[in-house]
Amino acid sequence: MDTQTHGSEVITGRSLGESCGIVALAESIPVGYRLVQSLRIIQHRGQESSGISINTGKVLKNYKGMGLVNEVFSGVKIEKDTGIGIGHIRYSTAGSSTLENAQPLYANIGKFEIAIGHNGEIVNALQLKRSLESKGYSFATNSDTEVVMKLLSIELSKTSDPVLSMKNTFKKLVGAYSLNLMINQRVFVARDPNGIRPLVVGTTEFGYGAASESVVFDQLNGKMIRDVRPGEIVEIKKNEFDSFMYNESSKTAHCMFEYVYFARPDSVVDGRSVFETRMELGRILARESPVKGADCVVAVPDSARTHAQGYAEESGIPLTEGLIKNRYVDRTFIMPEQAGRESELDIKLNPIRQLIEGKKVVLVDDSIIRGNTTRKIVKMLKKYGAKEVHLRIACPPVRFPCYLGIDMKTKDQFIAANRSLKEINAKLGADSLRYISLEGLIEATSLGKENLCLGCLNDKYPVRIGSH
Ligand code: SF4
């Protein structure tokens, strides 16, 4: 372990790879280990790096490293803190996968120590960075979060008022951001004016907190209170929280992919149960695209289990545990290198021959991005004797990049970009392929088209994407 910055320790570990997750706690007991536990609860949101910042009473102490929370924190002695802190797990969407970009980021600007964690992506980060560089400011990383840190530091030096400084900073940002921040002894969270990435506040057994997903409060013996509003800053205190709006004219645009794939099914995101949404996606898919005479419905585990359950329930076709997942091999969609993806997949899934052989199978997946996983699974099922494999996908074709915090950057990645349904299926090798309709997806979320981001489906983003 060596020292990275003042009050900051670097922990080495193994690197793996998704999006990002944040937590913030203010409790009547030290929170260091509780932050680590909270990050483990939302580990599915990011596997590249993990970190926490706590306040020891003298300094902000930052612990972070590359890898899963367990890998980074196993056996690490965390100093006693004053009961406030923030935590972050990361998968890089802006900035490369290096320890310097691991969060929370830390800065000491004399009167203030600041730590920041970020889930999302600042679309105008480069523009802001160039403008700051032209005024003589320099940057240590290529992360968009450092741009937020720099802007906030400049504002704090001018105003010495954390809330005013945050308001002034956030007004300059364009993009998706759910942030957690520690400024000396105070802990804040904030959400962009479109509420693109999720963020909730709640109680814990020993105080108050905020997290990317409500499941954190279930498991810390507390209760989710509400979503952080788009354009809102919330100060988390040990026995209450305070709200400061910095943008009242916001237009909600929650990421549809949180419901389809990212969030845990036991979370409630923006007032809507992820489990219930996925069940509904499955039910609608079954109504829109039935498979006559099918013997069984099989889910691509684990992410499509609930969608498949909904499909089976609506169609009356039995749900079968036809594919077994090796639970010690991590999710493949977000592995940074193509080579890694292929080899992980080979050992990740295996069909149960007795359940598949001679059967007409409805294979339900939550979404298709590159199609590598799907193609291999179809091939696998056929090899194990499936008579027919009919693919049913609970998300419309992903054809456009995400610039707002999900690692889907180039169009070339998408099997559905510039291909017809027939051409896509020719690559996947199924007997038939159907996607849920855009209307079906919107109906399943119950949020209304006007309250969702659907950019990667229809190329209409809630913010101006600029030069991309
Ligand atoms: S573009 Fe797609 S993945 Fe990105 S925020 Fe919008 S809905 Fe989510």
Side-chain angles (χ1 to χ4, degrees), residues 42-183:
I42 52 169
Q43 180 78 78
H44 61 287
R45 296 188 69 84
Q47 294 115 30
E48 258 187 28
S49 68
S50 321
I52 62 167
S53 281
I54 51 172
N55 189 310
T56 64
K58 293 187 193 124
V59 290
L60 296 197
K61 192 112 185 172
N62 216 18
Y63 298 82
K64 58 188 181 180
M66 300 303 289
L68 300 173
V69 181
N70 280 353
E71 294 168 330
V72 172
F73 286 97
S74 261
V76 171
K77 194 164 175 349
I78 300 172
E79 215 170 295
K80 197 170 171 205
D81 60 73
T82 58
I84 60 164
I86 60 173
H88 186 272
I89 41 173
R90 176 167 195 266
Y91 179 75
S92 58
T93 53
S96 53
S97 172
T98 59
L99 187 54
E100 303 82 69
N101 284 335
Q103 298 184 16
L105 291 188
Y106 169 86
N108 183 339
I109 58 163
K111 210 167 147 194
F112 291 101
E113 280 190 291
I114 313 164
I116 301 183
H118 173 207
N119 173 203
E121 200 168 338
I122 310 298
V123 176
N124 64 339
L126 196 57
Q127 202 184 325
L128 291 166
K129 188 176 179 177
R130 294 233 166 98
S131 152
L132 288 168
E133 279 170 341
S134 72
K135 290 174 189 149
Y137 293 98
S138 59
F139 289 80
T141 75
N142 59 355
S143 137
D144 55 351
T145 314
E146 195 188 358
V147 176
V148 182
M149 174 71 95
K150 198 71 79 182
L151 290 169
L152 182 62
S153 305
I154 294 166
E155 288 294 334
L156 272 168
S157 327
K158 280 196 277 192
T159 71
S160 290
D161 177 337
V163 174
L164 180 62
S165 300
M166 280 187 280
K167 287 183 174 181
N168 292 342
T169 299
F170 300 158
K171 282 174 185 163
K172 297 188 177 103
L173 307 179
V174 177
Y177 50 95
S178 285
L179 296 164
N180 56 6
L181 307 97
M182 197 156 51
I183 303 175

Side-chain angles (χ1 to χ4, degrees), residues 73-339:
F73 286 97
S74 261
V76 171
K77 194 164 175 349
I78 300 172
E79 215 170 295
K80 197 170 171 205
D81 60 73
T82 58
I84 60 164
I86 60 173
H88 186 272
I89 41 173
R90 176 167 195 266
Y91 179 75
S92 58
T93 53
S96 53
S97 172
T98 59
L99 187 54
E100 303 82 69
N101 284 335
Q103 298 184 16
L105 291 188
Y106 169 86
N108 183 339
I109 58 163
K111 210 167 147 194
F112 291 101
E113 280 190 291
I114 313 164
I116 301 183
H118 173 207
N119 173 203
E121 200 168 338
I122 310 298
V123 176
N124 64 339
L126 196 57
Q127 202 184 325
L128 291 166
K129 188 176 179 177
R130 294 233 166 98
S131 152
L132 288 168
E133 279 170 341
S134 72
K135 290 174 189 149
Y137 293 98
S138 59
F139 289 80
T141 75
N142 59 355
S143 137
D144 55 351
T145 314
E146 195 188 358
V147 176
V148 182
M149 174 71 95
K150 198 71 79 182
L151 290 169
L152 182 62
S153 305
I154 294 166
E155 288 294 334
L156 272 168
S157 327
K158 280 196 277 192
T159 71
S160 290
D161 177 337
V163 174
L164 180 62
S165 300
M166 280 187 280
K167 287 183 174 181
N168 292 342
T169 299
F170 300 158
K171 282 174 185 163
K172 297 188 177 103
L173 307 179
V174 177
Y177 50 95
S178 285
L179 296 164
N180 56 6
L181 307 97
M182 197 156 51
I183 303 175
N184 290 348
Q185 289 284 356
R186 298 172 74 177
V187 174
F188 302 90
V189 293
R191 203 173 178 199
D192 67 72
N194 297 108
I196 297 170
R197 305 256 69 87
L199 188 61
V200 293
V201 286
T203 57
T204 68
E205 194 174 348
F206 303 105
Y208 279 73
S212 295
E213 292 189 34
S214 63
V215 65
V216 168
F217 301 107
D218 298 342
Q219 300 205 295
L220 292 184
N221 289 327
K223 218 174 146 205
M224 169 188 163
I225 300 171
R226 67 169 173 85
D227 297 286
V228 175
R229 295 183 186 104
E232 183 183 28
I233 298 165
V234 176
E235 179 166 9
I236 312 289
K237 296 178 172 174
K238 294 184 181 185
N239 45 19
E240 63 177 340
F241 63 84
D242 290 335
S243 163
F244 310 90
M245 291 304 292
Y246 68 94
N247 188 328
E248 301 274 3
S249 60
S250 51
K251 193 190 161 302
T252 305
H254 305 311
C255 168
M256 65 84 199
F257 224 49
E258 292 284 345
Y259 297 98
V260 166
Y261 174 76
F262 280 115
R264 277 177 55 151
D266 45 346
S267 281
V268 175
V269 175
D270 288 299
R272 178 77 176 138
S273 151
V274 174
F275 171 79
E276 193 39 54
T277 306
R278 289 183 188 167
M279 283 293 287
E280 198 53 23
L281 285 164
R283 291 186 199 112
I284 294 171
L285 187 59
R287 289 199 292 275
E288 288 185 349
S289 300
V291 180
K292 256 192 161 171
D295 297 302
C296 58
V297 175
V298 172
V300 174
D302 287 318
S303 53
R305 279 182 191 283
T306 316
H307 316 69
Q309 199 180 330
Y311 192 102
E313 188 185 282
E314 183 70 19
S315 63
I317 304 165
L319 182 66
T320 309
E321 189 92 9
L323 283 165
I324 297 303
K325 185 182 167 191
N326 177 345
R327 74 179 67 167
Y328 300 103
V329 176
D330 292 282
R331 293 211 274 181
T332 54
F333 161 53
I334 31 69
M335 290 284 289
E337 298 300 328
Q338 183 66 26

